[in-house]
Amino acid sequence: MAVAALEQEILSLRKRRQLYSLIGLLLVVAVLVSGFSKSNEMNSGGFLQGLSKFFDYPGEIVLEAWNAGPAFFGLIIQYVPAMLETLNIAAVATLLGGAMALVLAMASTRNVDSWGPLIPVVRRMMDIMRAFPELIIALFLIFVLGSSPVPAMIAVAFHTAGALGKLFSEVNENIDRKPIEGLSACGASWLQRIRYAVLPQVAPNYLSYFLLRLEINVRASAILGFVGAGGIGQELRRTIGWGQGAGDETAAIFVLLFLTIMLIDQASSYLRGKLVGSGRAH
């Protein structure tokens, strides 16, 4: 009898929990619908009205690129210097950010015998560096330093140091400590243990993450051109701002950007495959 009462009570609790879950779900849906309606009213044009024109601009770009004929390939070559500027921003930022990330990772990992009180301080520093997107940092630096590639490079390097530092420190946590303990028994200094026991173990993974970050930074550097940091993003902003008549130039920039990202991706995959010794990485 007591068991039947208990089962009845459990069944009642389960039904009550399902009812509360349904009410909560309905409330969330009501808030979402209300928020969408409110934001849609605040827009200059409604979402559903604009949806029918979604493919108008891409269609114009493709049509103008088609009408340009063989001259379209000349436009691609015309924007190569701007693309090189973007690549320079990404490469320098990745090198500087990678060097800072190496130092931060070694100082924030308990597994490599870092100084205990320093570890939480460095980890919070990396949290702060990752918390701010490159775009926000670049806007602040452009306001202070003026429009040039330098603010973009500093912004990307700052964010890269925090992001790569976190990844590098996680790699450090998984290394084999026996080489470190062997060198410690021989009286090796901390730097000697890092050089001869840690770096040989982590170097392939470090380089793999570094190359992946280079791909990300090329895209980030192109986006920062929209806020006055130079490079291919600035040219893209100009051609889009001109609207009709500059669609062939916009298409040429998109094609150049796509080809560059694809080449970097293929080169990075090849090098990562060589580093891990398993053939071509995907």
Side-chain angles (χ1 to χ4, degrees), residues 216-272:
I216 297 170
N217 285 348
V218 170
R219 288 187 282 269
S221 301
I223 292 170
L224 292 182
F226 271 78
V227 294
I232 198 71
Q234 190 161 328
E235 296 293 339
L236 186 59
R237 179 189 178 189
R238 179 183 60 78
T239 60
I240 290 177
W242 281 1
Q244 196 168 13
D248 51 348
E249 295 184 55
T250 305
I253 291 173
F254 278 138
V255 170
L256 182 60
L257 193 57
F258 171 74
L259 291 175
T260 304
I261 296 294
M262 190 181 67
L263 285 174
I264 292 175
D265 177 67
Q266 291 300 312
S268 299
S269 298
Y270 177 77
L271 290 173
R272 283 200 296 271

Side-chain angles (χ1 to χ4, degrees), residues 46-198:
F47 175 76
L48 294 177
Q49 289 80 9
L51 195 60
S52 61
K53 303 174 184 175
F54 187 79
F55 293 104
D56 288 357
Y57 183 60
E60 288 177 9
I61 291 176
V62 173
L63 184 61
E64 290 184 26
W66 178 262
N67 292 335
F72 178 74
F73 298 101
L75 288 175
I76 294 177
I77 296 172
Q78 175 186 328
Y79 289 111
V80 167
M83 191 69 238
L84 290 176
E85 185 178 359
T86 296
L87 290 175
N88 282 335
I89 294 171
V92 174
T94 308
L95 284 172
L96 291 177
M100 287 191 290
L102 177 62
V103 176
L104 292 172
M106 293 303 172
S108 63
T109 308
R110 208 174 302 276
N111 204 29
V112 298
D113 295 338
S114 299
W115 188 43
L118 187 63
I119 293 174
V121 176
V122 178
R123 287 185 178 178
R124 296 297 79 76
M125 283 175 56
M126 290 192 295
D127 290 344
I128 294 171
M129 296 167 89
R130 292 197 309 277
F132 296 98
E134 297 96 332
L135 185 60
I136 302 299
I137 303 170
L139 283 171
F140 173 76
L141 292 174
I142 287 172
F143 178 76
V144 176
L145 303 175
S147 297
S148 74
V150 175
M153 186 269 293
I154 296 173
V156 176
F158 186 80
H159 190 84
T160 298
L164 272 185
K166 173 68 174 174
L167 294 173
F168 287 178
S169 66
E170 289 182 356
V171 173
N172 292 347
E173 295 288 0
N174 295 314
I175 63 172
D176 184 4
R177 277 192 52 82
K178 289 178 183 175
I180 298 176
E181 293 168 357
L183 287 174
S184 297
C186 297
S189 66
W190 184 80
L191 286 177
Q192 288 173 326
R193 297 198 296 272
I194 294 296
R195 166 66 182 85
Y196 296 106
V198 176

